[in-house]
Amino acid sequence: MNSIAANEIKTLKLSIYRYDPLKKEKPYMQDFDIDIPLEKDLMVLDVLMLAKEKDPSISFRRSCREGVCGSDGLNINGKNGLGCITPLSDAVRSNKLSIRPLPGLPVIKDLIVDMKQFVDQYKKVKPYLITDKKVDTREAIPQTVQEREKLDGLYECIMCGCCSTACPSFWWNPDKFLGPAALLQAYRFIADSRDTATEERLEQLEDAFSVFRCHGIMNCVSVCPKGLNPTKAIGEIKKMLVKRAL
Amino acid sequence: MAMNGKGTLLDAASLPVKEFDGIIVGGGGSGMMASLQLAKSGLNTAVVSKVFPTRSHTVSAQGGITCSIQSADPDDDWRWHMYDTVKGSDFIGDQDSIEYMCKEGPEAIFELENMGLPFSRTDEGKIYQRAFGGQSKDYGKGGQAERTCAAADRTGHALLHTLFQANVKAGTNFLSEWFAVDLVKNQNDQVVGVIAFEIESGEPFFLKSKATVLATGGAGRIYQTTSNALINTGDGTGMALRAGYPVQDMEMWQFHPTGIHGHGTLVTEGCRGEGGYLINKDGERFMERYAPNYKDLASRDVVARSMFTEILEGRGCGPDADHVFLKLDHLGPEIVHKRLPGVTELSKRFAHVDPAEHPIPVVPTCHYAMGGIPTNVHGQVISQNPDGTDKIIDGLYAAGEAACVSVHGGNRLGGNSLLDLIVFGRSAGLHIEETFKSGIELDNPSSGDIDYALRNLNRVNVSQSGENFVEVKKDLQKTMQMNFGVFRTEELMVNGIKEVSNLREKSQNIHLADKSSQFNTARVEALELLNLIEVAEATAISANERKESRGAHSREDYPERDDDNWLKHSIYYADSKQVSKREVNFRPKQVQAFQPIVRTY
């Protein structure tokens, strides 16, 4: 139970990154005092919504508010995470909460980043099943329980962008290094027993940048709100590429 | 030309036009199924979605998609599924639609699997199916069926991402983070597109189209406590009502039995399908008293009412005795963590318990609108001629939760909503494709028609003072929660209708203080409120009008089902605020119609 820590918070010192592209001001941090109901361990998203009631011009994305849609990836007290499933008891330090947009992507406004580079990299890995197995529309392509288990930890990605925007290699080469999210997706199809395009997929990944710019820093693993392990998936791809080159 | 704070009115003359063959408003399951069909057929299509498509609420569906694919049981029969669905609907589901869905379902499931959807598997390598509420074999005579196809407890996520991926492959054109405001109609009552703006730039457009599909999902945000995403504001339903088209059965709102207490987030019915059950403060498995045969897997309306009865009679759990417990710990960590990993995560996060060790505190939460924009099986929107017969609206389609093709009637069975999305998203796409083949001509709208569709956007954009829309929304949600919940009475509802009517007045005078153009989420929320108001008022007035108890609509003053007067759909128009009746379809093509019986579980 985390509610004990939350009970200690009364008036939270909240600080939010503000930027309006149409105004001349540089980006700045806007401070708020937010009164927190004592009995509940609120999530960071709840606090953002309370702040928006005070200042409706604050912009951020949100949808499911339960950690499955991936809208509200944010930098919360220095660490990437989803606002809607990060409790204050985990995030707040010394009664202070500082919220910034995900790092490494262009900021459109306030906490909203331009996800285009992220989505473009996702699309590059052909994130869909390619198969030459005979498909009868009256039945499923067979897959054993063991084969299906290989997709656990891969298919659950919600495309929130927390991992790729926590990755120094992605900050450095967002156009050439695919980033942990896209590579996790690449491996999700390589690992799928129904997919028959492994060779084609590996060929596309064998340059010096797409995969090999991953240096195993593991920021992606540390921030993934779904507990996934992109570094491991990238390691598997690297192994396959090395084996293939020999 | 972006919208800004200078108070300039938008008009037809200055509004840029983008032209498409087909526009789909909404990027969830039904929208992306329709768009996939259209992309394959080579039509110039755009999906207009206010969020990036994978943020749509389909992603939250957990337990599965119900369909007779004969995997768990080789003798399973789509007609048994049809029987369950008709009975579940409390006999006001349209039997032609239900037949179509249950019969066409397997092909759609296999299509999804072939696209890559990572279904869980059986030992034989087939798609895994689990037990869900209201499912039977042999027309209710053969005991509990296992008919819900699942990808662990993340079926909606797997389905939505698979559909997005298939659309990426097919080259679908996404207008992602665009907000559709209103339908544009010509003088012949045909729909010729929508007014929409790109949220990032604030640039408005007339998106002209020969086929417009409303796939905008649910509107659970009319209630205070709901499983629905923050984006579920009934945008398509509001647009249809403002354009003068009717909605059907809007009094029918499903309250899902197992919302996490204090938050509203769901844990799937699949918990009970896997062997979990509900207990009251005495530890009693109380569903055995209410539904001796199906127990915890009775249909959702029955379970939700039983839970509230336990709470009202003082057998609720917790310091305020305001919830009950869902017990899973007897299943052991292996089953709980493997079959229900998402539930484990949600439960730890929002209820601070590991369900493998402790029961989850749950209470019914607003979940799903059985009602919506009436359509036929091809997704074509239906209005009524003066003599009460159906009239097809040219150019307008609806699919998914926004629509009411009426496969759910008075109560939806678990796992049937994903099937509805897939089957009818596809059938709308197919019909549009065929219509284009045979040629389609719609008259151009006049500039007056376009100006009319701009009226709400203009009103919000130039507002100088007035009501705070956040406050109006909160009041609306409170009113709906108090007066149109699980148990209803005329006294509460009449009071509620009055309050909603006042709030509508206020909503006509809302003030958008921040008029900035770029990514102005306040503007989006202000416009969403106008849709919530439409849906809420339709719900309120329809609910008071249906003077019986059927499915999810349970009245203390009319506790019995009244087949003589109300074996009907309710039809509501926003202009007149009047409710009329529409015949329920009892003419399936291949089986004998199922006649109403007393509905017990």
Short mmCIF file of all heavy atoms in Angstrom, two decimals, chain B residues 112-140:
data_model
loop_
_atom_site.label_atom_id
_atom_site.label_comp_id
_atom_site.label_asym_id
_atom_site.label_seq_id
_atom_site.Cartn_x
_atom_site.Cartn_y
_atom_site.Cartn_z
N LEU B 112 -8.52 -11.71 -39.00
CA LEU B 112 -7.67 -11.01 -38.02
C LEU B 112 -6.45 -11.84 -37.64
O LEU B 112 -5.35 -11.33 -37.53
CB LEU B 112 -8.47 -10.70 -36.75
CG LEU B 112 -9.49 -9.58 -36.84
CD1 LEU B 112 -10.36 -9.58 -35.59
CD2 LEU B 112 -8.81 -8.22 -36.99
N GLU B 113 -6.70 -13.14 -37.44
CA GLU B 113 -5.58 -14.02 -37.08
C GLU B 113 -4.57 -14.04 -38.21
O GLU B 113 -3.37 -13.92 -37.99
CB GLU B 113 -6.11 -15.43 -36.77
CG GLU B 113 -5.08 -16.34 -36.13
CD GLU B 113 -4.08 -16.91 -37.11
OE1 GLU B 113 -4.39 -17.04 -38.33
OE2 GLU B 113 -2.96 -17.22 -36.68
N ASN B 114 -5.06 -14.15 -39.43
CA ASN B 114 -4.17 -14.18 -40.59
C ASN B 114 -3.39 -12.86 -40.74
O ASN B 114 -2.31 -12.83 -41.30
CB ASN B 114 -4.96 -14.46 -41.88
CG ASN B 114 -5.58 -15.86 -41.92
OD1 ASN B 114 -6.36 -16.18 -42.81
ND2 ASN B 114 -5.26 -16.71 -40.96
N MET B 115 -3.99 -11.77 -40.27
CA MET B 115 -3.29 -10.48 -40.27
C MET B 115 -2.18 -10.44 -39.25
O MET B 115 -1.33 -9.56 -39.29
CB MET B 115 -4.26 -9.36 -39.89
CG MET B 115 -5.06 -8.74 -40.99
SD MET B 115 -6.10 -7.49 -40.15
CE MET B 115 -7.59 -7.67 -41.07
N GLY B 116 -2.22 -11.36 -38.27
CA GLY B 116 -1.16 -11.39 -37.28
C GLY B 116 -1.59 -11.27 -35.83
O GLY B 116 -0.76 -11.28 -34.93
N LEU B 117 -2.87 -11.15 -35.58
CA LEU B 117 -3.31 -10.97 -34.19
C LEU B 117 -2.81 -12.13 -33.32
O LEU B 117 -3.07 -13.28 -33.62
CB LEU B 117 -4.85 -10.88 -34.13
CG LEU B 117 -5.44 -10.23 -32.88
CD1 LEU B 117 -6.84 -9.69 -33.15
CD2 LEU B 117 -5.46 -11.11 -31.67
N PRO B 118 -2.05 -11.81 -32.26
CA PRO B 118 -1.44 -12.88 -31.45
C PRO B 118 -2.40 -13.51 -30.44
O PRO B 118 -2.25 -13.33 -29.23
CB PRO B 118 -0.28 -12.15 -30.74
CG PRO B 118 -0.73 -10.73 -30.64
CD PRO B 118 -1.61 -10.47 -31.83
N PHE B 119 -3.39 -14.24 -30.94
CA PHE B 119 -4.32 -14.94 -30.04
C PHE B 119 -3.54 -15.93 -29.16
O PHE B 119 -2.56 -16.53 -29.60
CB PHE B 119 -5.35 -15.73 -30.86
CG PHE B 119 -6.47 -14.90 -31.42
CD1 PHE B 119 -6.59 -14.71 -32.78
CD2 PHE B 119 -7.41 -14.33 -30.58
CE1 PHE B 119 -7.64 -13.95 -33.31
CE2 PHE B 119 -8.46 -13.57 -31.09
CZ PHE B 119 -8.56 -13.38 -32.46
N SER B 120 -4.03 -16.13 -27.94
CA SER B 120 -3.54 -17.23 -27.12
C SER B 120 -3.94 -18.53 -27.80
O SER B 120 -4.85 -18.55 -28.63
CB SER B 120 -4.15 -17.17 -25.72
OG SER B 120 -3.82 -15.95 -25.09
N ARG B 121 -3.26 -19.61 -27.46
CA ARG B 121 -3.46 -20.86 -28.20
C ARG B 121 -3.85 -22.03 -27.29
O ARG B 121 -3.52 -22.04 -26.10
CB ARG B 121 -2.17 -21.22 -28.94
CG ARG B 121 -1.77 -20.21 -29.99
CD ARG B 121 -2.69 -20.26 -31.19
NE ARG B 121 -2.46 -19.11 -32.08
CZ ARG B 121 -2.72 -19.15 -33.40
NH1 ARG B 121 -3.19 -20.24 -33.96
NH2 ARG B 121 -2.52 -18.08 -34.12
N THR B 122 -4.48 -23.02 -27.90
CA THR B 122 -4.79 -24.27 -27.20
C THR B 122 -3.64 -25.25 -27.44
O THR B 122 -2.76 -25.00 -28.26
CB THR B 122 -6.06 -24.92 -27.76
OG1 THR B 122 -5.81 -25.29 -29.13
CG2 THR B 122 -7.24 -23.97 -27.72
N ASP B 123 -3.68 -26.37 -26.75
CA ASP B 123 -2.64 -27.38 -26.93
C ASP B 123 -2.59 -27.90 -28.36
O ASP B 123 -1.56 -28.39 -28.81
CB ASP B 123 -2.86 -28.54 -25.96
CG ASP B 123 -2.56 -28.12 -24.52
OD1 ASP B 123 -1.83 -27.11 -24.36
OD2 ASP B 123 -3.05 -28.77 -23.58
N GLU B 124 -3.70 -27.79 -29.08
CA GLU B 124 -3.72 -28.25 -30.49
C GLU B 124 -3.24 -27.15 -31.43
O GLU B 124 -3.29 -27.32 -32.66
CB GLU B 124 -5.12 -28.68 -30.92
CG GLU B 124 -5.70 -29.86 -30.16
CD GLU B 124 -6.35 -29.43 -28.85
OE1 GLU B 124 -7.06 -28.41 -28.84
OE2 GLU B 124 -6.10 -30.09 -27.83
N GLY B 125 -2.84 -26.00 -30.89
CA GLY B 125 -2.36 -24.91 -31.75
C GLY B 125 -3.47 -24.07 -32.34
O GLY B 125 -3.26 -23.29 -33.27
N LYS B 126 -4.68 -24.24 -31.78
CA LYS B 126 -5.80 -23.43 -32.26
C LYS B 126 -5.97 -22.17 -31.38
O LYS B 126 -5.32 -22.04 -30.34
CB LYS B 126 -7.10 -24.24 -32.20
CG LYS B 126 -7.10 -25.44 -33.15
CD LYS B 126 -8.38 -26.20 -32.97
CE LYS B 126 -8.45 -27.39 -33.92
NZ LYS B 126 -9.60 -28.24 -33.60
N ILE B 127 -6.90 -21.30 -31.79
CA ILE B 127 -7.16 -20.10 -31.02
C ILE B 127 -7.83 -20.46 -29.69
O ILE B 127 -8.79 -21.24 -29.67
CB ILE B 127 -8.07 -19.13 -31.83
CG1 ILE B 127 -7.31 -18.62 -33.06
CG2 ILE B 127 -8.54 -17.96 -30.96
CD1 ILE B 127 -8.18 -17.82 -34.03
N TYR B 128 -7.30 -19.90 -28.59
CA TYR B 128 -7.83 -20.19 -27.26
C TYR B 128 -9.18 -19.49 -27.06
O TYR B 128 -9.36 -18.33 -27.43
CB TYR B 128 -6.82 -19.71 -26.20
CG TYR B 128 -7.33 -19.73 -24.78
CD1 TYR B 128 -7.49 -20.94 -24.10
CD2 TYR B 128 -7.65 -18.55 -24.11
CE1 TYR B 128 -7.96 -20.97 -22.79
CE2 TYR B 128 -8.12 -18.57 -22.80
CZ TYR B 128 -8.27 -19.78 -22.15
OH TYR B 128 -8.73 -19.80 -20.86
N GLN B 129 -10.14 -20.20 -26.49
CA GLN B 129 -11.45 -19.62 -26.17
C GLN B 129 -11.76 -19.85 -24.71
O GLN B 129 -11.53 -20.93 -24.17
CB GLN B 129 -12.55 -20.26 -27.02
CG GLN B 129 -12.45 -19.93 -28.51
CD GLN B 129 -13.58 -20.56 -29.30
OE1 GLN B 129 -13.61 -21.78 -29.45
NE2 GLN B 129 -14.50 -19.75 -29.80
N ARG B 130 -12.31 -18.79 -24.06
CA ARG B 130 -12.66 -18.92 -22.65
C ARG B 130 -14.16 -18.71 -22.45
O ARG B 130 -14.87 -18.24 -23.33
CB ARG B 130 -11.86 -17.92 -21.81
CG ARG B 130 -12.10 -16.46 -22.14
CD ARG B 130 -11.60 -15.52 -21.02
NE ARG B 130 -10.22 -15.71 -20.60
CZ ARG B 130 -9.22 -14.85 -20.85
NH1 ARG B 130 -9.46 -13.73 -21.51
NH2 ARG B 130 -8.01 -15.08 -20.41
N ALA B 131 -14.60 -19.09 -21.25
CA ALA B 131 -16.01 -18.91 -20.91
C ALA B 131 -16.29 -17.45 -20.58
O ALA B 131 -15.47 -16.78 -19.97
CB ALA B 131 -16.35 -19.79 -19.70
N PHE B 132 -17.45 -16.96 -20.99
CA PHE B 132 -17.88 -15.60 -20.68
C PHE B 132 -19.34 -15.65 -20.27
O PHE B 132 -20.01 -16.68 -20.44
CB PHE B 132 -17.70 -14.71 -21.92
CG PHE B 132 -16.65 -13.64 -21.75
CD1 PHE B 132 -15.35 -13.95 -21.40
CD2 PHE B 132 -16.96 -12.30 -21.98
CE1 PHE B 132 -14.39 -12.97 -21.26
CE2 PHE B 132 -16.01 -11.30 -21.84
CZ PHE B 132 -14.71 -11.63 -21.48
N GLY B 133 -19.83 -14.52 -19.77
CA GLY B 133 -21.18 -14.47 -19.26
C GLY B 133 -22.24 -14.69 -20.33
O GLY B 133 -22.09 -14.27 -21.47
N GLY B 134 -23.33 -15.38 -19.94
CA GLY B 134 -24.48 -15.55 -20.82
C GLY B 134 -24.26 -16.51 -21.97
O GLY B 134 -25.04 -16.53 -22.92
N GLN B 135 -23.19 -17.31 -21.90
CA GLN B 135 -22.89 -18.23 -23.01
C GLN B 135 -23.41 -19.64 -22.73
O GLN B 135 -23.17 -20.18 -21.67
CB GLN B 135 -21.37 -18.33 -23.21
CG GLN B 135 -20.81 -17.16 -23.93
CD GLN B 135 -19.29 -17.20 -24.02
OE1 GLN B 135 -18.65 -18.18 -23.64
NE2 GLN B 135 -18.72 -16.13 -24.55
N SER B 136 -24.08 -20.19 -23.73
CA SER B 136 -24.60 -21.55 -23.53
C SER B 136 -24.34 -22.41 -24.76
O SER B 136 -24.05 -21.92 -25.84
CB SER B 136 -26.11 -21.50 -23.28
OG SER B 136 -26.81 -21.31 -24.50
N LYS B 137 -24.46 -23.71 -24.55
CA LYS B 137 -24.48 -24.65 -25.66
C LYS B 137 -25.93 -25.06 -25.90
O LYS B 137 -26.74 -25.04 -24.96
CB LYS B 137 -23.68 -25.91 -25.30
CG LYS B 137 -22.22 -25.62 -25.04
CD LYS B 137 -21.47 -26.91 -24.70
CE LYS B 137 -20.02 -26.56 -24.41
NZ LYS B 137 -19.18 -27.73 -24.26
N ASP B 138 -26.23 -25.46 -27.11
CA ASP B 138 -27.52 -26.05 -27.45
C ASP B 138 -28.71 -25.20 -26.97
O ASP B 138 -29.59 -25.69 -26.27
CB ASP B 138 -27.59 -27.47 -26.85
CG ASP B 138 -28.71 -28.27 -27.50
OD1 ASP B 138 -29.18 -27.87 -28.59
OD2 ASP B 138 -29.10 -29.29 -26.89
N TYR B 139 -28.70 -23.95 -27.36
CA TYR B 139 -29.82 -23.05 -27.08
C TYR B 139 -30.19 -23.01 -25.60
O TYR B 139 -31.36 -23.12 -25.22
CB TYR B 139 -31.05 -23.45 -27.91
CG TYR B 139 -30.74 -23.61 -29.38
CD1 TYR B 139 -30.60 -24.86 -29.94
CD2 TYR B 139 -30.57 -22.48 -30.20
CE1 TYR B 139 -30.30 -25.01 -31.29
CE2 TYR B 139 -30.25 -22.62 -31.54
CZ TYR B 139 -30.12 -23.88 -32.09
OH TYR B 139 -29.81 -24.02 -33.40
N GLY B 140 -29.18 -22.90 -24.76
CA GLY B 140 -29.42 -22.76 -23.33
C GLY B 140 -29.60 -24.08 -22.59
O GLY B 140 -29.71 -24.09 -21.38
#
